Amino acid sequence: MRDSTQQYRALLSQVAARATAYLEDAQARRVAPDDEVVGRLRQWDGAFPDEPMDALALVEMLDSMAGPATVINAGGRFFGFVNGGALPGSLAASWLVNAWDQNAGMMISSPAGAVLEEIALRWTAEILGLPEGCGGGIVTGATMANFSAILAARHAILMRQGWDVEIDGLFGAPPVDVVVSDEVHASFLKALSLAGLGRERVRRVPVDGQGRMRTDRLPKLTPHTLVAIQAGNVNTGSFDPAGEICDDAHDIGAWVHVDGAFGLWATASPTYRHLTDGFAKADSWAMDGHKWPNAGYDCGIVLVREADHLRAAMSASAAYLVSDGRHNPMNYAPEMSRRARGIELWATLRSLGKSGLAALIERTCSYAQRFAEDLRKAGFTILNEVVINQVLVSFGKPERTLAVVKKVQDEGTCWAGSTLWQGQTAMRISVSSWATTEADVDKSLAAIIRAAKETET
Ligand SMILES: *Cc1c(COP(=O)(O)O)cnc(C)c1O
C-alpha cells in the first residue's frame, strides 16, 4: 500500500494544522493533565485490532485523545526535572528528519545524518571549550552518555592492565575502582550497573552544603580509578571543583568523567563560564541536548578526549558492516540502527548560534533568580545558592512543602516537583525552557505563593 503524494499532502498538512493548534494553545492549557483525561486513553487498551486504520483517522484520534494527556513542555511553565521545550528549529528539523527516515548508524546509510552529527559534535566540543580532537556520539540522553563514557573508561583502564574487556568480558578481569560523590546522579549509578561495575561497588566522597565534592576527602586514587564529577548538581546546580580533582587524578593516571547533563552548557555564557573552569581537563563528558539547549527529545551527547577508547568500546564486527575509515556513528554509541538525532542537534545549535545559546542560558538563570528573590520576599526559605537555573524552596515543615507542591501541580498554572535536599524536603524549580517568559515567571510565582497561602496552618 503506497500513499499517493496527494495523500501525504492531506495527511501532513493535517498534522501541521493540529500540531500548530496544540502549540498555540499550550500557553492556555493546564500544564499537567488531570487523571480523568489520562484515564480515557485506556479505552484503547483492548485486544490488538484486526483491521488497519487510515493514517488521517489515526492523527485525528491521537490529537483528540492523546494530545490532552500530554505534559505541556512547550508552554514555558513546566519547571519539573530539568526539561527544556523543543526550539522551533529543532521541532522543524525533526519533522524533516522523520520524513527522511534515515538510519544514521553509518555514513553509507545516511550521509546527511553522519556528516551533520560529526559537525554537531564538533560544535558541542567548541561551545564547551573541550579539547580539539575529542570525539563521541549522540545517544538518547545523559544516562546513555554516562554509560558510553563508562565503557570507554573501562576499556582504557583495563587495556592498560593488559586486559581486553570487549573480548574477554569482566569475569576474572583486574579491578576498575570507581569514585563518585555522595551527590552522584542516579543515572550514573544505573549506568555503572549496566556496565557490570556495580552500583554499590563505589567509593563515595562527602560533599559540602551545596553538594560539591570535597577534595579534602578524596580517597587515594590509582591508575585503575574512574572518578566521576558533576557540572550542575540536579538539585542545587552546583559544580564540583573540577580543576583540582582532574590534576590529582591525572598525576596518578586515573580517568575523570564529567556528568555535565545540563550544567556544562553554562560554558556557553560569558557570564557563567567561570563556573565550568577546569572541567575541560577531564577525559570524558556526558551532556543532554534535550535539557538546556532545548533540542527535542531524545538527545544526549558523549565526548571522549581520546575517542579511540570509545570506538574500541563500541566496536562490532560483521562481514556486511562497512569499515571505510569514515565517521560511522554506530562506532561511537551503543546503538547500530537509529534515527538521525545529530541532524536535530545540529539544527538546534544552528538556530541559536553563539549569542542565542548564551542568551538562553542567561535568561533562564535570571528567571531562577527571580523565583528565589520573590519566594524569599514572600517569607519562604531558599535552600541553595542559586548559581544557575535551579531553585530549591522550602515552605516550612516537610508536609507543608509537599502539600504546596501538590496544590501547584493540581492547579495547573505551572508545574514543579519535590525533592529531598540533604534531609530537607523542597520544591525544586528548574528553569530550562527557551519558551519561558517574564510573564510566565510572574504567573507561576503568583500560583506558587497562592498555593502556599492556602496551605498555611
Ligand atoms: C538529567 C540528568 C541525567 C540523566 O539524563 P537523561 O537525559 O534523563 O538520561 C544525568 N545527570 C544529571 C546531572 C542530570 O541532570
Side-chain angles (χ1 to χ4, degrees):
M1 186 184 68
R2 239 190 108 83
D3 274 326
S4 72
T5 315
Q6 205 50 49
Q7 280 168 315
Y8 272 133
R9 203 166 289 277
L11 180 65
L12 296 184
S13 50
Q14 185 58 224
V15 169
R18 286 178 178 274
T20 308
Y22 174 93
L23 292 171
E24 284 172 351
D25 202 26
Q27 283 287 329
R29 294 257 314 271
R30 191 190 138 116
V31 174
D34 64 34
D35 293 345
E36 198 229 307
V37 170
V38 179
R40 271 186 237 151
L41 285 175
R42 289 283 158 203
Q43 290 170 23
W44 295 351
D45 197 8
F48 179 49
D50 286 331
E51 300 300 323
M53 181 183 253
D54 172 64
L56 209 56
L58 257 179
V59 167
E60 203 277 324
M61 230 174 122
L62 277 173
D63 186 44
S64 61
M65 292 277 286
T70 56
V71 162
I72 312 292
N73 263 337
R77 291 195 302 275
F78 185 88
F79 303 108
F81 313 103
V82 189
N83 284 9
L87 279 160
S90 175
L91 168 64
S94 109
W95 284 19
L96 272 181
V97 168
N98 284 333
W100 296 343
D101 189 30
Q102 296 292 282
N103 182 346
M106 290 181 286
M107 180 72 84
I108 204 166
S109 61
S110 179
V115 171
L116 292 187
E117 169 158 333
E118 228 182 314
I119 297 171
L121 286 167
R122 198 173 50 68
W123 282 356
T124 300
E126 187 184 326
I127 291 163
L128 303 179
L130 304 183
E132 257 177 64
C134 70
I138 301 189
V139 290
T140 47
T143 305
M144 287 308 285
N146 279 329
F147 174 65
S148 302
I150 288 168
L151 296 191
R154 191 183 72 167
H155 169 86
I157 289 170
L158 290 175
M159 201 45 118
R160 267 186 234 135
Q161 299 176 82
W163 188 271
D164 189 333
V165 65
E166 283 75 35
I167 291 184
D168 295 320
L170 279 174
F171 298 101
V176 176
D177 301 323
V178 181
V179 171
V180 299
S181 86
D182 267 337
E183 270 295 326
V184 61
H185 193 272
S187 73
F188 189 82
L189 298 176
K190 173 175 176 170
L192 284 175
S193 76
L194 294 177
L197 297 181
R199 210 159 48 208
E200 295 193 7
R201 215 186 121 277
V202 295
R203 280 180 294 170
R204 285 174 174 268
V205 185
V207 295
D208 68 12
Q210 296 303 314
R212 291 173 292 230
M213 192 183 260
R214 282 183 50 183
T215 49
D216 60 321
R217 301 287 296 275
L218 210 58
K220 191 169 162 349
L221 307 175
T222 74
H224 324 317
T225 312
L226 160 61
V227 187
I229 59 174
Q230 289 193 112
N233 176 286
V234 77
N235 282 310
T236 63
S238 71
F239 293 76
D240 284 336
E244 209 179 317
I245 297 168
C246 289
D247 289 345
D248 284 1
H250 289 163
D251 282 348
I252 191 85
W255 181 292
V256 182
H257 170 68
V258 176
D259 179 352
F262 63 102
L264 206 56
W265 295 104
T267 316
S269 151
T271 312
Y272 292 93
R273 185 169 299 151
H274 66 278
L275 294 169
T276 69
D277 279 353
F279 283 95
K281 290 185 185 176
D283 301 280
S284 57
W285 303 267
M287 281 75 58
D288 267 319
H290 56 227
K291 284 180 179 162
W292 235 351
N294 283 250
Y297 288 95
D298 39 25
C299 181
I301 305 144
V302 57
L303 286 168
V304 178
R305 177 184 293 275
E306 290 177 47
D308 282 350
H309 294 307
L310 181 64
R311 192 188 159 89
M314 298 302 177
S315 63
S317 60
Y320 67 90
L321 295 175
V322 286
S323 172
D324 53 9
R326 297 190 292 177
H327 179 84
N328 290 309
M330 69 169 206
N331 291 334
Y332 296 90
E335 302 95 335
M336 286 196 172
S337 298
R338 60 179 182 80
R339 66 197 307 279
R341 292 185 192 99
I343 299 180
E344 287 158 38
L345 180 60
W346 177 88
T348 302
L349 297 176
R350 182 61 199 91
S351 79
L352 287 166
K354 256 188 214 169
S355 59
L357 185 55
L360 168 57
I361 302 289
E362 287 163 18
R363 190 169 68 243
T364 45
C365 287
S366 75
Y367 292 157
Q369 291 293 348
R370 265 285 315 281
F371 272 111
E373 279 162 29
D374 285 26
L375 289 167
R376 201 181 279 127
K377 268 189 227 146
F380 309 115
T381 311
I382 304 302
L383 299 177
N384 65 318
E385 288 168 18
V386 180
V387 286
I388 46 171
N389 63 332
Q390 306 288 110
V391 183
L392 299 177
V393 53
S394 161
F395 296 91
K397 292 210 176 76
E399 308 78 57
R400 182 174 181 207
T401 296
L402 293 176
V404 177
V405 169
K406 176 151 191 342
K407 225 177 216 317
V408 165
Q409 292 177 357
D410 289 347
E411 192 267 342
T413 300
C414 67
W415 200 100
S418 62
T419 189
L420 194 64
W421 173 248
Q422 300 191 339
Q424 289 177 281
T425 301
M427 173 189 277
R428 188 175 65 150
I429 301 169
S430 171
V431 192
S432 307
S433 173
W434 71 278
T436 303
T437 62
E438 191 84 44
D440 287 321
V441 178
D442 291 340
K443 266 193 206 170
S444 303
L445 270 166
I448 294 169
I449 292 169
R450 204 161 53 232
K453 295 254 152 73
E454 285 167 15
T455 55
E456 236 157 6
T457 43

